[in-house]
Amino acid sequence: MPTALPRLRADAAANRARILEVAREAFAAEGLDVPMTAIAHRAGLGVATLYRRFPTKEDLVAEAFTEQLDECAGLLDAALADPDPWRAFCWMVTQLCEMQARDRGFSAAFVTASQRTTEFGALRERAERGFAELVRRAQEAGGLRRDFHPADLSLILLANGGVRAGTAELTAAASRRLVAYLLQAFRADGAAPLPRPTAVPLDAALR
Amino acid sequence: MPTALPRLRADAAANRARILEVAREAFAAEGLDVPMTAIAHRAGLGVATLYRRFPTKEDLVAEAFTEQLDECAGLLDAALADPDPWRAFCWMVTQLCEMQARDRGFSAAFVTASQRTTEFGALRERAERGFAELVRRAQEAGGLRRDFHPADLSLILLANGGVRAGTAELTAAASRRLVAYLLQAFRADGAAPLPRPTAVPLDAALR
DNA sequence: GGTCAAGTGGAAGGCACCGTCCGCTTCCGC
DNA sequence: GCGGAAGCGGACGGTGCCTTCCACTTGACC
């Protein structure tokens, strides 16, 4: 932190915290297009207060999601510590996709955030290198097919991000099934059982 | 068609056609959020003219995509005519995903359209039944895994719909790779080669 | 060619959102 | 307590969109 900004007044600090809490909840449930006014109101505050703490919506989004980005970093460390590379790879993909499925704002926030500060950029780069290492090991061990490319992570997240069913539960289930299919496709060999199919109506399917 | 609406004046008919042409192009390239004003202007017309022909944006969208819906129906018929069920299944999935990747508005339009008239609803239902038949045959023949469910079509289209890279070409390539992975996962056995990986930056990946 | 419904364009209405401004209120240090 | 800075809320300006309105033009038919 470059400049030590003056401490907030007690009530202001509490409000700020409440704003973040509400924002995280709202973004997760409804995506990033929740109006600022709505967030402020749900936090029992006026819009001005919100804008005093977070000059733009982007700032709010970035701040609201730092927690999750840290969580991602943690996941990666955990995966890299696993002695079984293929299991680590599967686990990592599963966890990431689960986070994404759980939180509608996650993907969008990731983009917003990583375009903002170099801090996020660095975090992302580190994540990419870590994942590449995970891939290398899993291929070395023979679990992961040779033609899997670390950049396929983008593909996975894009595809998984597209999965949005009616309710959160449906989305989660659909995402799990997709991940199971994908991991099956990523195996160097063999086949594995799948979770039960999720009945998403075609209507809800496309969008 | 319930009532034979009066023939359009020659110029009006031409304008209507040009609107549709422009709209299809715009929706495909930029998605459904192209402003009505922009479409009218690109067709060399005022907004009012557009609204005279298509009372709401939804109407325009629906009309602009009927062609593609018919194309889908055609695909299905072709697939059902193929004597090799597994090949037919793969081909159908590939074609659908390719259409979807080529046209940014496709998915959204499908939803809009199918919620409008019973005509579209019927078309969709027929498509669902046809695809289910395709699935049944492919499983019967032993190419498709037994636990694939017809509703997985939704999952496929959702996932594929999420794939959006920078350019149209990148998107198409990414989509092809995803489809290859998925078809691999759908096989009752074995493994197959993949197209080369597409380097979508993580930034672009998420959204 | 003349008539007039059909067709046309641009301006304006309505709405939802982001972000700002300004007068009032509340906490904190003395 | 009390003064003043920090905090606060709601109204407001700006933008971009869908859609409507209305005065003007144009093509088809007699």
Side-chain angles (χ1 to χ4, degrees):
Chain A
M1 39 198 80
T3 58
L5 30 149
R7 249 189 313 292
L8 288 178
R9 227 165 65 177
D11 56 343
N15 283 341
R16 192 189 134 95
R18 191 154 66 254
I19 288 172
L20 274 176
E21 188 188 338
V22 167
R24 270 193 275 264
E25 220 171 285
F27 290 150
E30 300 163 52
L32 253 43
D33 50 357
V34 183
M36 291 294 261
T37 324
I39 293 173
H41 224 71
R42 282 184 223 178
L45 298 167
V47 220
T49 308
L50 203 170
Y51 275 100
R52 170 173 287 266
R53 283 318 141 222
F54 307 95
T56 81
K57 185 168 189 173
E58 215 179 287
D59 290 310
L60 175 60
V61 168
E63 184 89 18
F65 283 91
T66 39
E67 200 176 280
Q68 305 224 349
L69 287 184
D70 287 347
E71 199 180 325
C72 284
L75 289 180
L76 192 64
D77 290 337
L80 285 167
D82 189 326
D84 180 339
W86 170 246
R87 188 179 57 190
F89 172 85
C90 291
W91 182 82
M92 184 74 201
V93 170
T94 307
Q95 292 297 314
L96 271 178
C97 288
E98 204 172 292
M99 279 184 71
Q100 196 186 14
R102 197 168 40 222
D103 194 324
R104 284 195 53 179
F106 180 70
S107 320
F110 198 103
V111 178
T112 309
S114 71
Q115 283 170 345
R116 281 171 48 79
T117 57
T118 49
E119 186 198 346
F120 284 118
L123 204 82
R124 200 198 61 195
E125 206 177 312
R126 185 173 151 273
E128 276 173 6
R129 261 203 303 280
F131 185 74
E133 170 63 14
L134 215 54
V135 167
R136 199 192 56 73
R137 289 190 204 165
Q139 285 173 330
E140 202 77 14
L144 180 60
R145 58 195 294 170
R146 283 285 173 185
D147 53 3
F148 183 94
H149 189 281
D152 280 333
L153 179 59
S154 298
L155 192 59
I156 298 171
L157 291 174
L158 276 172
N160 188 60
V163 174
R164 249 171 275 141
T167 70
E169 288 75 29
L170 270 178
T171 302
S175 165
R176 273 195 299 274
R177 188 163 171 95
L178 176 68
V179 170
Y181 272 135
L182 287 175
L183 290 178
Q184 158 69 31
F186 297 155
R187 298 185 73 88
D189 65 323
L194 285 168
R196 296 184 51 233
T198 14
V200 182
L202 251 188
D203 283 286
L206 301 154
R207 214 184 56 93
Chain B
M1 40 199 78
T3 59
L5 30 148
R7 249 190 313 292
L8 287 179
R9 229 166 62 180
D11 57 340
N15 284 340
R16 191 189 136 96
R18 193 154 64 253
I19 288 172
L20 274 176
E21 189 187 337
V22 167
R24 269 193 275 263
E25 223 171 283
F27 289 150
E30 300 164 52
L32 254 42
D33 50 357
V34 183
M36 291 292 262
T37 325
I39 292 173
H41 224 70
R42 282 185 224 178
L45 299 168
V47 223
T49 308
L50 203 170
Y51 274 97
R52 171 171 286 265
R53 283 319 141 222
F54 307 95
T56 80
K57 185 169 189 174
E58 214 179 287
D59 290 311
L60 175 60
V61 168
E63 185 89 18
F65 283 91
T66 37
E67 201 176 278
Q68 305 224 349
L69 287 184
D70 286 347
E71 201 180 323
C72 284
L75 289 179
L76 192 63
D77 290 336
L80 285 168
D82 189 326
D84 180 339
W86 169 245
R87 187 179 58 190
F89 172 85
C90 291
W91 182 82
M92 185 72 203
V93 170
T94 306
Q95 292 297 314
L96 272 178
C97 289
E98 205 172 290
M99 279 184 70
Q100 196 185 14
R102 197 168 42 222
D103 195 325
R104 285 195 53 182
F106 180 70
S107 320
F110 198 104
V111 177
T112 309
S114 72
Q115 282 170 345
R116 281 170 48 79
T117 56
T118 48
E119 186 197 346
F120 285 118
L123 205 80
R124 200 197 62 195
E125 204 177 313
R126 184 174 151 273
E128 276 173 7
R129 260 203 304 280
F131 185 74
E133 171 62 13
L134 216 54
V135 166
R136 199 193 55 73
R137 289 190 203 164
Q139 285 172 330
E140 200 78 12
L144 181 60
R145 57 196 296 170
R146 282 284 173 188
D147 52 3
F148 183 95
H149 189 281
D152 280 333
L153 179 59
S154 297
L155 193 58
I156 297 172
L157 290 175
L158 276 173
N160 188 61
V163 174
R164 250 172 273 140
T167 70
E169 287 76 29
L170 271 177
T171 302
S175 165
R176 273 195 299 274
R177 188 164 171 94
L178 177 67
V179 170
Y181 272 134
L182 288 175
L183 290 178
Q184 159 70 32
F186 297 156
R187 296 186 74 89
D189 65 324
L194 286 168
R196 297 184 49 232
T198 14
V200 183
L202 253 189
D203 283 284
L206 302 154
R207 214 184 55 93

